[in-house]
Amino acid sequence: SVVADRTFDWIRSKYSVFGDGPASIVHGDAGLQNVLAAHGAVTCLLDWEFAHVGDPAEDLAYLRESAERSLPWGEFLAAYRAAGGPEISKDRLRLFDLWSSLRNFVLASEILFHARGGEPADFRTVAIGLSTRPRLEARLAESLASALAT
């Protein structure tokens, strides 16, 4: 993918921004789809297979689209900081927005690559790869265009 290649190039050019913030446990797939709530309070965060030590900007960037369905991004960030979250620069958010879009596109691409090579694959997983890869590439292109415009 030309879009993925250009995104890798852009991330490499901005690599020094990685690690600018404090290290923390990063969920890696933060979103409302992975939250259990009861009586108006979050009770559990699910689906930890992408968890690692990293920059909290990664989870914030990944969560943004989901969070904005409920409230404006500025209000979300204010609540995040009021709850003790660190200040996150726009550069780090932009970088991790691209990073998460690239990661998801690469995962979908790998599923299809291995399936085309004859490796055994769960049909449902291949169907997800086929149906989401074009959407993920379009999202990646949007994120890259936004990053290049700033």
Side-chain angles (χ1 to χ4, degrees):
S1 165
V2 172
V3 174
D5 288 345
R6 295 296 71 82
T7 303
F8 274 115
D9 291 343
W10 190 90
I11 287 173
R12 283 186 199 103
S13 76
K14 304 295 184 188
Y15 189 76
S16 64
V17 176
F18 275 105
D20 275 358
S24 64
I25 295 173
V26 174
H27 181 273
D29 192 16
L32 297 179
Q33 75 280 1
N34 287 326
V35 171
L36 288 182
H39 310 291
V42 173
T43 59
C44 184
L45 188 56
L46 306 169
D47 206 9
W48 287 85
E49 76 270 9
F50 290 128
H52 58 279
V53 174
D55 188 321
E58 182 178 349
D59 275 346
L60 282 177
Y62 196 82
L63 176 66
R64 184 174 184 165
E65 186 176 335
S66 178
E68 287 183 321
R69 291 183 198 140
S70 300
L71 71 160
W73 183 239
E75 287 181 35
F76 177 85
L77 285 179
Y80 170 78
R81 285 188 212 101
E87 183 73 30
I88 305 290
S89 73
K90 288 181 181 181
D91 287 340
R92 285 175 35 224
L93 284 172
R94 186 177 304 109
L95 176 73
F96 283 106
D97 176 57
L98 263 174
W99 176 252
S100 62
S101 294
L102 180 61
R103 181 199 71 191
N104 290 344
F105 174 74
V106 168
L107 287 172
S109 297
E110 281 193 345
I111 289 167
L112 298 178
F113 174 80
H114 291 292
R116 286 184 185 124
E119 294 182 31
D122 174 47
F123 178 74
R124 288 173 292 190
T125 304
V126 173
I128 290 169
L130 284 169
S131 66
T132 62
R133 187 178 182 275
R135 180 181 55 81
L136 293 170
E137 188 170 30
R139 169 76 172 98
L140 181 59
E142 289 171 14
S143 295
L144 180 60
S146 175
L148 291 173
T150 58

